[in-house]
Amino acid sequence: THTRTLILVRGAQLALPLMTTWWLLACLTNMALPPTINLMGELMIITALFNWTNTTIIFTALTTLITAIYSLYIFITTQQSKTTPQALQSPTTTREHLLLALHLIPLTMLILHPKLLF
């Protein structure tokens, strides 16, 4: 849609159903869904900060919560709201799907077989 304004890209689920699936997978990965690598990273950071000092756990928990809320807000705003004419006029191309696949397929491979990293 050539814009970063979330209000102009509302309701893309009806016009771009495959892109909605990509966005859902990316948002769930960003929120550290249990099988993802982000969950392991966040747990390691939280453990290290808790061992360092107990007061940092409050800030870490708060930022984790804010990240999850913002990810859900972005997904719901761009996909589930009332459709705008700008969201309907720009179909997706193979380049965009390839870009998202090249980001999410390696993440999925690392989730399923972490020894590939080593």
Side-chain angles (χ1 to χ4, degrees), residues 23-51:
W23 268 101
L24 177 64
L25 292 173
C27 285
L28 291 177
T29 303
N30 188 39
M31 291 188 316
L33 194 68
T36 62
I37 298 170
N38 290 358
L39 177 67
M40 295 306 295
E42 283 188 12
L43 288 177
M44 289 171 38
I45 289 171
I46 289 170
T47 304
L49 287 175
F50 189 68
N51 289 334

Side-chain angles (χ1 to χ4, degrees), residues 1-117:
T1 60
H2 304 290
T3 183
R4 292 184 183 185
T5 308
L6 293 178
I7 296 172
L8 297 176
V9 193
R10 293 181 300 180
Q13 182 178 9
L14 293 174
L16 312 167
L18 184 58
M19 191 60 74
T20 300
T21 305
W22 289 117
W23 268 101
L24 177 64
L25 292 173
C27 285
L28 291 177
T29 303
N30 188 39
M31 291 188 316
L33 194 68
T36 62
I37 298 170
N38 290 358
L39 177 67
M40 295 306 295
E42 283 188 12
L43 288 177
M44 289 171 38
I45 289 171
I46 289 170
T47 304
L49 287 175
F50 189 68
N51 289 334
W52 181 49
T53 180
N54 293 342
T55 56
T56 58
I57 198 72
I58 296 168
F59 297 117
T60 307
L62 186 64
T63 57
T64 304
L65 181 67
I66 289 170
T67 300
I69 289 171
Y70 188 64
S71 292
L72 282 174
Y73 171 74
I74 286 176
F75 181 76
I76 290 171
T77 302
T78 58
Q79 305 301 321
Q80 300 289 328
S81 301
K82 184 179 172 186
T83 305
T84 60
Q86 187 166 359
L88 294 174
Q89 72 182 358
S90 59
T92 57
T93 61
T94 304
R95 186 190 105 214
E96 293 158 349
H97 293 290
L98 180 65
L99 178 71
L100 287 166
L102 290 177
H103 278 84
L104 293 174
I105 288 173
L107 284 174
T108 306
M109 289 175 61
L110 285 174
I111 291 167
L112 296 176
H113 193 60
K115 291 183 181 180
L116 290 174
L117 188 62

